[in-house]
Amino acid sequence: MPGRIAPIAHRRLCIIEHMFYMGGREVTSNAALVPGLSYRENWLSADEQAALIAELDALPWRRASGRRTQVHTLRRRSCPAGVAELASRVAASGMLSASPARIEVVEYQPGDGEDEGAALVAGWASISLGSPCVMICEHPGRRLAVPLLLSPGGLLAHRLSTGRAWQLRIPGRKVDHFEGRRFARGRRLALRMI
């Protein structure tokens, strides 16, 4: 009898060790729980990221909501070459159902977050440059939160309409913890393609 209980208890512990609670919500690292969301790690190489950051830093920044931002419309001749090439690559990747029309660039410093609970709607892609961070996808109706590690150069896209139940947020903190690892935040540029 004791031999049969141990394997069952061990399996239960394995399941429990990947799930925990955050603010009353169950948390798991299983990204497949978010319908329509896809992620490709290391989509841009370190050299491509450095070249794109240098190109963006050479352009004027504006202040919006306390952060430095840029907006690039892809149909204008003034669109930077690296930004236009990036949009073409995203369109060719098949991660979006249509080519992006513009790219919004937002600069985040360590400790900055987005806690506005933006609704997860279809038809966008995002690339993080510079620093990793953990994004939380929350489904309030199910009381479920799914953390996603956004690595520098990774491409995150959402194609399918899932209604407005899922929401995204990036907690404001200087250090993220993900699957037993620690990630210190540095300067991060988020390029959102719409």
Side-chain angles (χ1 to χ4, degrees), residues 61-92:
W61 291 88
R62 293 190 175 140
R63 279 247 176 237
S65 301
R67 291 191 181 87
R68 295 191 330 154
T69 64
Q70 296 178 10
V71 177
H72 302 286
T73 303
L74 298 167
R75 293 183 180 94
R76 291 189 182 160
R77 289 184 184 172
S78 62
C79 184
V83 171
E85 181 185 335
L86 181 67
S88 296
R89 283 182 61 190
V90 169

Side-chain angles (χ1 to χ4, degrees), residues 63-193:
R63 279 247 176 237
S65 301
R67 291 191 181 87
R68 295 191 330 154
T69 64
Q70 296 178 10
V71 177
H72 302 286
T73 303
L74 298 167
R75 293 183 180 94
R76 291 189 182 160
R77 289 184 184 172
S78 62
C79 184
V83 171
E85 181 185 335
L86 181 67
S88 296
R89 283 182 61 190
V90 169
S93 74
M95 298 268 290
L96 289 177
S97 54
S99 295
R102 68 187 218 159
I103 295 183
E104 300 170 354
V105 183
V106 180
E107 178 187 60
Y108 295 91
Q109 296 296 332
D112 287 349
E114 283 291 329
D115 293 320
E116 297 159 4
L120 182 52
V121 295
W124 59 264
S126 180
I127 295 176
S128 288
L129 303 175
S131 174
C133 76
V134 172
M135 172 182 280
I136 307 296
C137 301
E138 294 180 300
H139 191 293
R142 294 186 195 152
R143 298 180 54 86
L144 180 67
V146 179
L148 300 173
L149 176 65
L150 302 180
S151 299
L155 173 62
L156 179 70
H158 194 261
R159 290 181 57 135
L160 303 174
S161 178
T162 59
R164 296 192 174 267
W166 287 94
Q167 296 188 339
L168 304 177
R169 70 182 180 85
I170 297 175
R173 54 188 173 211
K174 293 189 177 183
V175 176
D176 285 307
H177 295 273
F178 184 80
E179 295 184 349
R181 294 178 292 168
R182 183 179 185 275
F183 298 91
R185 287 194 196 170
R187 178 187 186 227
R188 183 175 74 93
L189 300 182
L191 285 67
R192 183 170 175 159
M193 288 155 267

Side-chain angles (χ1 to χ4, degrees), residues 10-91:
H10 175 69
R11 273 184 287 188
R12 186 177 176 114
L13 286 174
C14 290
I15 292 168
I16 291 171
E17 106 183 332
H18 293 326
M19 301 179 89
F20 54 96
Y21 288 86
M22 179 179 72
R25 289 190 161 88
E26 182 181 318
V27 177
T28 177
S29 59
N30 186 1
L33 294 174
V34 185
L37 199 63
S38 56
Y39 183 70
R40 291 187 188 167
E41 194 172 11
N42 302 318
W43 195 75
L44 290 178
S45 70
D47 290 342
E48 290 171 319
Q49 292 176 62
L52 193 52
I53 290 170
E55 183 178 30
L56 292 169
D57 279 339
L59 299 170
W61 291 88
R62 293 190 175 140
R63 279 247 176 237
S65 301
R67 291 191 181 87
R68 295 191 330 154
T69 64
Q70 296 178 10
V71 177
H72 302 286
T73 303
L74 298 167
R75 293 183 180 94
R76 291 189 182 160
R77 289 184 184 172
S78 62
C79 184
V83 171
E85 181 185 335
L86 181 67
S88 296
R89 283 182 61 190
V90 169

